[in-house]
Amino acid sequence: MIDVLYFAWVRERIGLPREQVQTQATTVAGLVDELRTREERYALAFSDLSSLRVAVDQELTDFDAPLAGAREVAFFPPMTGG
Amino acid sequence: MIDVLYFAWVRERIGLPREQVQTQATTVAGLVDELRTREERYALAFSDLSSLRVAVDQELTDFDAPLAGAREVAFFPPMTGG
Amino acid sequence: MRIVVQEQPFDLGAEVSAFAAGRHDLGAVVTFTGVVRDDPAKPLAQMMIEHYPGMTEKALEKIATEAQARWPLGDVLVIHRFGVLHPGEQIMMVATAARHRKDAFEAAEYLMDYLKSRAPFWKMEKGAAGEGWVAARSADEDALKRW
Amino acid sequence: MRIVVQEQPFDLGAEVSAFAAGRHDLGAVVTFTGVVRDDPAKPLAQMMIEHYPGMTEKALEKIATEAQARWPLGDVLVIHRFGVLHPGEQIMMVATAARHRKDAFEAAEYLMDYLKSRAPFWKMEKGAAGEGWVAARSADEDALKRW
């Protein structure tokens, strides 16, 4: 089980800020593929990966990143701080 | 008659902060030549023009600048503000 | 180094005074302050800043640590707010102190460039015309290529 | 634009707060503060700053006006002290406000580069080892080539 977190419009599209997910995926991209098949709102949120960023265990990474040992994966749009 | 002002170590070498000078010089360089002939302390202060800066009527300029109409000429080392 | 992520306003004047005080070996202090901007053509009622608690602090510390590794800095301060803000309010600030001004300026610009695109904050604007998430500017991503 | 040349100390925190306040169209505020630095290897008792009354104000106004012509600035502030200062005291500050951070940063660096080499201030340091005028650094003159 890993915690999956959503922020900003990803959170709005999926409709919740975090959930626990049972996954067989070995990479972030694999997890995304699993989520996409769940429901339309997931497919919509993950329709364009180039507009998304991902963090594994609170470190920014990319969609090829392995999930081995990961406790927390977060999906969000490009940051707009400052 | 023009006011001639000295700042920082130029003031210290010449021994006064300002004086009125009667001059026939038409350029700053001409004024410097006249001052140099006055006394040793002037010759010393003006011995290396590359280490000096000049302002005519409170505008930074160079030693070729004309003196026509000038009321105030100031000599000083490179600035070190900030 | 001091990293602060908080909802409440901060006192810019007090922060700058405290940051600059007491260190006699540092000749140059640079600050950047980000303010909620209001466009008269598209009036803003409020800005809501979402963040990723836990990751935010880590990301800011990583950016500040990298700045300290690249420039000889005496001190670094980063403060960033989240929650609801209104036009004219201060969103965030960074401060850098160094012996020479070039280092303090460059480090502050570096902090801002990375904070913009690598710290997990997202801005939503609410106004008369509705609400919407602020889009990342490609100029902000491009700014990172400088370093 | 506000240009201040004065002998007494200024309140950095109050100046920064006042400068940043009230303008809702400006998202970015940058400040630079110069502090009298003390080198432990060569302890400084005091710094004396001489200036050229009349020309100083004109030179600073000219530099600030040029900065406003080059960058879209909402406001510019320059404060510079003269007279006797001690280690840790603030010598001067500049502040710039703009819509975007790049303009505010560049304008502040421009102001500092020109102020260093084109505003008529001279520093004398007094310490245990005697007194002497601070020499201009060629790096400061070189910095102007950037603009």
Side-chain angles (χ1 to χ4, degrees):
Chain A
M1 296 284 276
I2 55 174
D3 286 317
V4 180
L5 283 68
Y6 310 109
F7 292 96
W9 59 253
V10 183
R11 172 178 52 70
E12 290 180 333
R13 286 192 193 174
I14 290 180
L16 75 177
R18 73 156 63 207
E19 60 186 321
Q20 288 210 310
V21 172
Q22 185 76 52
T23 181
Q24 304 302 319
T26 57
T27 65
V28 172
L31 173 62
V32 168
D33 287 338
E34 287 184 5
L35 291 169
R36 271 176 175 150
T37 63
R38 285 183 156 195
E39 285 179 51
E40 180 61 24
R41 59 195 166 104
Y42 287 93
L44 186 69
F46 290 107
S47 61
D48 175 15
L49 293 192
S50 73
S51 66
L52 290 183
R53 300 292 179 268
V54 61
V56 171
D57 289 336
Q58 306 189 350
E59 286 276 351
L60 208 57
T61 184
D62 49 49
F63 288 88
D64 296 334
L67 283 188
R71 285 160 303 168
E72 186 172 303
V73 176
F75 297 102
F76 41 77
M79 290 91 139
T80 54
Chain B
M1 296 284 276
I2 56 174
D3 285 318
V4 180
L5 284 69
Y6 310 110
F7 292 96
W9 58 253
V10 183
R11 172 179 53 70
E12 290 180 332
R13 286 193 194 172
I14 290 179
L16 75 178
R18 71 157 64 207
E19 60 185 320
Q20 288 210 309
V21 172
Q22 186 77 51
T23 180
Q24 304 302 318
T26 57
T27 65
V28 171
L31 174 63
V32 167
D33 286 339
E34 287 184 6
L35 291 169
R36 272 176 175 148
T37 63
R38 284 182 157 194
E39 285 179 52
E40 180 60 23
R41 59 196 166 103
Y42 287 92
L44 186 69
F46 291 106
S47 60
D48 174 15
L49 293 192
S50 74
S51 67
L52 290 183
R53 300 291 179 268
V54 61
V56 172
D57 289 337
Q58 305 189 349
E59 286 275 353
L60 208 58
T61 185
D62 50 50
F63 287 87
D64 296 333
L67 283 187
R71 286 160 302 168
E72 187 172 303
V73 176
F75 297 102
F76 41 79
M79 290 91 141
T80 53
Chain C
M1 184 196 305
R2 189 164 150 252
I3 308 288
V4 181
V5 180
Q6 65 182 28
E7 188 159 6
Q8 64 269 33
F10 57 92
D11 182 337
L12 172 61
E15 293 291 347
V16 173
S17 294
F19 183 76
R23 288 288 297 266
H24 292 186
D25 53 333
L26 305 170
V29 176
V30 170
T31 71
F32 176 91
T33 311
V35 179
V36 181
R37 199 172 57 209
D38 197 7
D39 182 349
K42 206 179 69 175
L44 181 73
Q46 63 177 54
M47 172 176 279
M48 196 280 292
I49 301 181
E50 185 169 334
H51 80 122
Y52 184 170
M55 178 173 167
T56 310
E57 292 78 359
K58 281 184 204 170
L60 293 176
E61 269 170 37
K62 188 176 171 184
I63 295 166
T65 300
E66 179 66 22
Q68 285 189 313
R70 286 179 176 230
W71 291 277
L73 301 178
D75 205 358
V76 177
L77 167 66
V78 180
I79 302 177
H80 205 300
R81 294 176 62 193
F82 59 88
V84 175
L85 287 84
H86 298 91
E89 277 193 75
Q90 289 145 6
I91 304 172
M92 51 74 61
M93 70 171 291
V94 303
T96 56
R99 286 176 59 84
H100 298 294
R101 72 184 187 283
K102 190 166 183 296
D103 294 326
F105 269 120
E106 285 189 1
E109 290 185 72
Y110 174 93
L111 288 172
M112 285 308 303
D113 283 352
Y114 273 84
L115 188 153
K116 276 266 170 193
S117 305
R118 294 289 183 269
F121 291 102
W122 302 274
K123 288 176 183 152
M124 171 182 266
E125 291 177 340
K126 298 189 184 189
E131 62 179 51
W133 293 97
V134 174
R137 303 191 319 153
S138 61
D140 285 331
E141 190 64 33
D142 290 346
L144 301 186
K145 293 174 187 155
R146 175 178 167 194
W147 307 108
Chain D
M1 185 197 302
R2 189 163 150 252
I3 307 288
V4 181
V5 180
Q6 66 182 27
E7 188 159 5
Q8 64 268 33
F10 57 91
D11 182 337
L12 172 61
E15 293 292 346
V16 173
S17 294
F19 183 76
R23 288 290 296 266
H24 292 186
D25 53 332
L26 305 170
V29 175
V30 170
T31 70
F32 176 91
T33 310
V35 179
V36 180
R37 200 173 55 209
D38 196 7
D39 182 350
K42 206 179 70 176
L44 181 72
Q46 63 177 53
M47 171 175 281
M48 196 279 293
I49 300 181
E50 184 169 335
H51 80 122
Y52 182 171
M55 178 172 166
T56 309
E57 292 80 357
K58 281 183 204 171
L60 294 176
E61 269 170 37
K62 189 177 171 182
I63 294 165
T65 300
E66 179 66 21
Q68 286 190 312
R70 285 178 176 232
W71 290 276
L73 302 177
D75 206 358
V76 177
L77 167 66
V78 180
I79 302 177
H80 205 301
R81 295 176 63 192
F82 59 88
V84 175
L85 286 85
H86 298 90
E89 277 193 77
Q90 289 144 7
I91 304 172
M92 51 75 61
M93 69 172 291
V94 304
T96 56
R99 284 176 60 85
H100 298 295
R101 72 184 188 283
K102 189 166 184 295
D103 294 325
F105 269 120
E106 285 189 2
E109 290 185 73
Y110 174 93
L111 287 172
M112 285 308 303
D113 283 351
Y114 273 84
L115 188 155
K116 275 267 170 191
S117 305
R118 294 291 182 268
F121 291 101
W122 301 274
K123 288 177 184 152
M124 171 182 265
E125 291 178 340
K126 298 187 185 190
E131 60 180 51
W133 293 96
V134 173
R137 301 192 319 155
S138 62
D140 285 330
E141 189 65 31
D142 291 346
L144 300 186
K145 291 174 188 157
R146 176 178 167 194
W147 307 108

